[in-house]
Amino acid sequence: MTIPERRRYSSPVRSARARQTRAHVVATAGRLFAERGYAGTSMRQIAAAAEVSLETVTQTGRKADLLLAAFRDGFAGNPDAVDLDGLVGRSTLEDLPELVARLASGVRRSLPIWRAFTTAAMADPAVAAVRAELAVARRAEIKERLTQAGAPASDRLADAIGLLTSHEAYDHLTGVCGWPHEDYVTWTAEAIRAQLAGGRL
């Protein structure tokens, strides 16, 4: 007699609970990474802070996986997001200051987790590989938006806009050079305007 294979039971409630638990673990990991850095945060600390078991944390992913997920979630679902449609696509140049201001607020908010991410990339090849992939994808996305807007979609122009709106630029100008947040917004909007007009920085 052939014994029928047991069907796997899929519960929507259980699936929703699993997603909520994962989101909670990732958010907790992101907070600890931002506060303590990548090296200063252990999986046990994440479990304790999230008030879940260590097994639950490890089932969510490796430490590098948690960092990458937290980094993505920390900035509108994208670690280095730019409102590309606004900056180079569907808005006028007069809208640039407002668009850059919104972008800069997101960059400032996600700066601690970005620092943890870049530090981890120097020590963890998996994180470094993802960082490189994100840079390539970002250039391609900016070039696509430039093409749609009828602007010259060169690598150099895409890289310039990517750099101007990056965490690196914001951190250097505001953190190292001491620029006020508002000055970064004003300067970046003018710099992007100059780039789109074919000018120089």
Side-chain angles (χ1 to χ4, degrees):
M1 181 178 67
T2 302
I3 300 176
E5 184 179 349
R6 180 179 297 178
R7 293 183 178 179
R8 292 184 179 181
Y9 176 68
S10 177
S11 167
V13 174
R14 185 180 301 171
S15 297
R17 187 175 301 158
R19 288 193 298 268
Q20 292 174 351
T21 299
R22 182 186 185 282
H24 174 60
V25 169
V26 169
T28 302
R31 176 173 58 80
L32 294 181
F33 288 139
E35 293 174 356
R36 306 176 182 181
Y38 184 69
T41 301
S42 69
M43 299 289 273
R44 290 187 181 279
Q45 290 171 335
I46 295 171
E51 297 182 337
V52 298
S53 68
L54 178 60
E55 181 181 6
T56 297
V57 175
T58 56
Q59 288 176 346
T60 302
R62 300 176 302 117
K63 184 177 174 181
D65 298 329
L66 295 178
L67 174 65
L68 296 173
F71 188 39
R72 290 190 173 96
D73 294 348
F75 193 43
N78 185 328
D80 216 8
V82 178
D83 182 359
L84 298 171
D85 285 332
L87 289 178
V88 301
R90 300 175 182 172
S91 301
T92 65
L93 292 179
E94 286 70 27
D95 296 323
L96 274 174
E98 180 182 351
L99 293 166
V100 173
R102 288 205 301 267
L103 169 69
S105 294
V107 170
R108 178 169 58 182
R109 183 177 60 252
S110 58
L111 199 56
I113 189 66
W114 171 81
R115 288 172 176 154
F117 180 79
T118 54
T119 300
M122 291 187 287
D124 191 316
V127 179
V130 171
R131 186 183 184 191
E133 291 171 4
L134 289 173
V136 172
R138 189 161 186 252
R139 171 195 270 183
E141 188 176 5
I142 294 175
K143 288 179 67 176
E144 180 181 355
R145 295 300 196 279
L146 288 168
T147 298
Q148 293 172 358
S154 67
D155 286 348
R156 181 157 296 188
L157 178 57
D159 291 342
I161 293 175
L163 174 62
L164 291 168
T165 55
S166 68
H167 287 80
E168 288 92 341
Y170 182 87
D171 194 34
H172 178 75
L173 293 176
T174 63
V176 178
C177 299
W179 287 25
H181 175 84
E182 294 74 16
D183 288 1
Y184 165 82
V185 171
T186 301
W187 179 83
T188 300
E190 290 301 319
I192 293 174
R193 190 193 308 271
Q195 288 294 311
L196 291 174
R200 297 178 179 271
L201 290 179

